[in-house]
Amino acid sequence: MSGRRHRHKENPVGAVDYKKKEKYHKHMERVGKLGAIAAGAFALHEKHEGKKDPEHAQSHKIKQEIAATVAVGAGGYAFHEHHRKKEAKKKYQEANGTKHHRFFH
C-alpha cells in the first residue's frame, strides 16, 4: 500500500446524511419491486401447475394464493420505500438550500 488513507467526509455530531438515506431507500424500493415480480411469477407458475396436475390442484391453489399475497405485500413495501426515498431527497434539498419552491408550475 502507498500509505494513503481514504477519509470520509465528517458529519457534525447528530447530523443526518440524507443522501445516504435516499440511496438506501432507493435500493430497498428496488428490492421490493423484485420481490413483487418474483412472487407474481411464482403465483402464475402455481396457477399453471394446478391446471396441469389436477390431482394436486388444491395444493397448487393454496401456494398460488400465498404467492399472490406475498406479491401484494412486496409491492406495498416498494411503494412505502418510494415515499421514504422522496422524503429523504426533500430533506436533503432543504438542508443544502437547493429546494426550489414552485408556486406556478
Side-chain angles (χ1 to χ4, degrees), residues 11-83:
N11 287 336
V13 177
V16 179
D17 189 358
Y18 291 112
K19 206 61 170 166
K20 190 179 255 188
K21 286 183 83 159
E22 180 185 354
K23 187 176 179 181
Y24 171 76
H25 291 300
K26 184 176 183 178
H27 174 73
M28 295 311 290
E29 178 186 358
R30 288 179 176 172
V31 168
K33 286 179 181 179
L34 286 173
I37 291 169
F42 186 73
L44 287 175
H45 168 74
E46 286 299 324
K47 183 176 183 177
H48 175 72
E49 288 294 314
K51 290 180 180 179
K52 223 170 73 171
D53 183 16
E55 188 175 319
H56 301 102
Q58 185 64 29
S59 172
H60 292 296
K61 179 74 173 170
I62 291 169
K63 290 176 186 176
Q64 174 193 344
E65 292 293 326
I66 292 170
T69 304
V70 170
V72 170
Y77 179 72
F79 186 72
H80 166 76
E81 288 297 325
H82 175 73
H83 285 283

